[in-house]
Amino acid sequence: MRNLCFVFIFLITISNVFAQKSNNDNIKKSFLELPRIEVVPITDTNTDRHYELYIKLPEGYSEKSNKKYPVLYFTDAMWHIEILSGTTEYLLEDAILVGISWQKDIDENLKREIGEHLSRYRDYSIRKSDNKEYQATYQYGQANNHLSFIRNDVFKYVENKYQTNENNRTYFGYSMGGEFGAYILLTQPDTFKNYILGSPSLHNDILLLSELKFKHKKLNANVLVSYGALEKELGANAEKFISMLTSRNDKSLLLKPVIIGGSHQTAFPMTAVKSMYWLSALIK
C-alpha cells in the first residue's frame, strides 16, 4: 500500500512539473529595459551618418531645475551601458551618462559579415591601414571626423537639452575607444576635462601620438590610463604613452596610471569600477 501511495504521489508531481513547463512555454516574454535610459537618434551633420545616444539622467533630475550636472560620455555604448549604469548608480549618482552608439545605417552585407560594431574601426582609429583591402573595408583613420561629430553635434544636442556643466565633461573609452581618447587628449584636449583610457589599442600609433604631444602647451586635464597585467603588447604601448605624457612636465595634467589584473577581456569590468571610483573623487 505504501508503495502504491509513493507511485501515486510521484505521478502527481511529474504531472504538475510538465503542466508548469507547458504553462511557462505559453508565457509572453518581453525584453528588459534599463530604467531612466533614453535612446535618442542623432545624425552627423558633416557625413549624414546616423547614430544613437543612450542617455541616463540621475534620479530626481526633474526636481532640481537649478542644478548643473557633470556628464560622462562613452563610446561603444551597447557594450558599456550596463556596467557604467550600474557602477555610477552607486559612485556617481549625480552624473548624466551619454553613450554614443556605432553607426546605425551601415551596409547590411558588411553588418552580417563583421557585426554591428563595424564603424568603430573607422571612427576610433587615428591612421589608415597599409593593407589596401582592409582599408577599403574598414576605412580606418577617421577619428578626426568622429571627434568633429561629438564636438559639433553630440555636445550641441546634450547641452541644449539637459542641465549640464559644460566645464566638467568626462570621456570613457576602452580598447579602440581608449585609442580614440588618447587622440582627443593630444589634439583637442579641451573637449573633456577628465579622460579614462582603458587598455588603449595603440599598437603602431605611438609614433603618430608622439608627434602630437607638444601640439598644446597645457592639456588642463585629469587622465587615467589603465591596462591589464597580462596585456604584453598593449601594456608596453600604454607605458610608452604614459611616459610620453609624463615627459611633458605639464603641471596642468593630473595623470593616474593603473595596472589591473587580467587580460584585455577580463580587465574591462574592473577598469570600469576603478575608473568610476577615481572619477567620483574629482567631480564631487
Side-chain angles (χ1 to χ4, degrees):
M1 184 68 177
R2 184 179 297 174
N3 289 339
L4 288 175
C5 288
F6 175 79
V7 171
F8 181 67
I9 293 171
F10 176 76
L11 290 174
I12 291 176
T13 303
I14 293 296
S15 176
N16 288 337
V17 169
F18 278 107
Q20 185 177 14
K21 183 177 180 182
S22 177
N23 290 336
N24 287 340
D25 287 343
N26 295 326
I27 291 175
K28 184 177 180 180
K29 299 177 182 178
S30 62
F31 293 98
L32 174 67
E33 295 183 4
L34 295 176
R36 304 199 313 273
I37 295 179
E38 304 171 331
V39 179
V40 179
I42 189 168
T43 301
D44 183 335
T45 53
N46 287 330
T47 64
D48 201 36
R49 295 167 180 159
H50 299 283
Y51 296 81
E52 289 177 342
L53 301 179
Y54 299 175
I55 301 176
K56 181 179 180 182
L57 301 178
E59 189 171 358
Y61 170 85
S62 61
E63 301 167 5
K64 302 173 182 177
S65 59
N66 295 324
K67 185 177 178 63
K68 297 292 186 180
Y69 293 86
V71 184
L72 172 63
Y73 293 88
F74 55 99
T75 46
D76 290 316
M78 178 61 74
W79 290 343
H80 298 165
I81 181 64
E82 292 174 294
I83 193 166
L84 290 178
S85 174
T87 305
T88 54
E89 195 72 22
Y90 291 91
L91 295 175
L92 290 171
E93 303 98 325
D94 284 338
I96 296 174
L97 272 61
V98 179
I100 304 168
S101 80
W102 308 305
Q103 183 186 346
K104 306 302 293 183
D105 53 334
I106 61 174
D107 181 88
E108 289 297 326
N109 292 327
L110 287 175
K111 183 188 293 186
R112 284 190 292 270
E113 178 184 349
I114 298 168
E116 294 185 354
H117 60 284
L118 171 64
S119 64
R120 73 190 299 267
Y121 299 107
R122 176 197 67 215
D123 290 343
Y124 306 165
S125 59
I126 64 179
R127 60 181 182 81
K128 295 181 178 180
S129 172
D130 295 330
N131 185 308
K132 293 182 179 180
E133 183 179 347
Y134 282 2
Q135 182 61 32
T137 300
Y138 295 96
Q139 301 177 5
Y140 290 107
Q142 296 191 37
N144 189 54
N145 291 338
H146 199 56
L147 177 54
S148 295
F149 162 59
I150 291 173
R151 289 176 64 96
N152 298 331
D153 296 311
V154 175
F155 286 172
K156 181 179 179 180
Y157 176 82
V158 172
E159 292 171 0
N160 285 340
K161 179 76 173 178
Y162 303 102
Q163 300 161 205
T164 67
N165 181 348
E166 299 175 11
N167 297 317
N168 206 350
R169 306 182 191 123
T170 297
Y171 174 83
F172 178 98
Y174 193 81
S175 192
M176 288 194 74
E179 172 190 4
F180 181 50
Y183 174 78
I184 300 172
L185 174 66
L186 293 181
T187 56
Q188 298 195 59
D190 66 336
T191 305
F192 301 98
K193 179 60 179 176
N194 312 299
Y195 289 80
I196 298 166
L197 313 178
S199 296
S201 183
L202 299 178
H203 295 295
N204 299 318
D205 300 318
I206 292 295
L207 179 60
L208 177 56
L209 291 174
S210 66
E211 295 172 355
L212 298 171
K213 73 174 181 177
F214 289 118
K215 182 176 180 180
H216 295 271
K217 185 176 181 180
K218 292 185 177 181
L219 296 180
N220 293 309
N222 307 309
V223 182
L224 183 149
V225 183
S226 69
Y227 62 90
L230 299 180
E231 296 186 271
K232 293 184 179 179
E233 181 184 356
L234 290 187
N237 285 327
E239 283 293 344
K240 291 178 183 177
F241 182 64
I242 291 167
S243 297
M244 183 191 308
L245 293 178
T246 303
S247 69
R248 288 174 47 90
N249 294 316
D250 182 354
K251 293 183 179 179
S252 73
L253 173 66
L254 175 64
L255 180 61
K256 176 70 172 178
V258 178
I259 302 176
I260 295 172
S263 65
H264 191 65
Q265 286 74 23
T266 60
F268 171 70
M270 193 55 68
T271 299
V273 174
K274 286 194 172 185
S275 65
M276 291 304 104
Y277 182 77
W278 171 79
L279 183 61
S280 68
L282 292 174
I283 67 176
K284 283 185 176 179

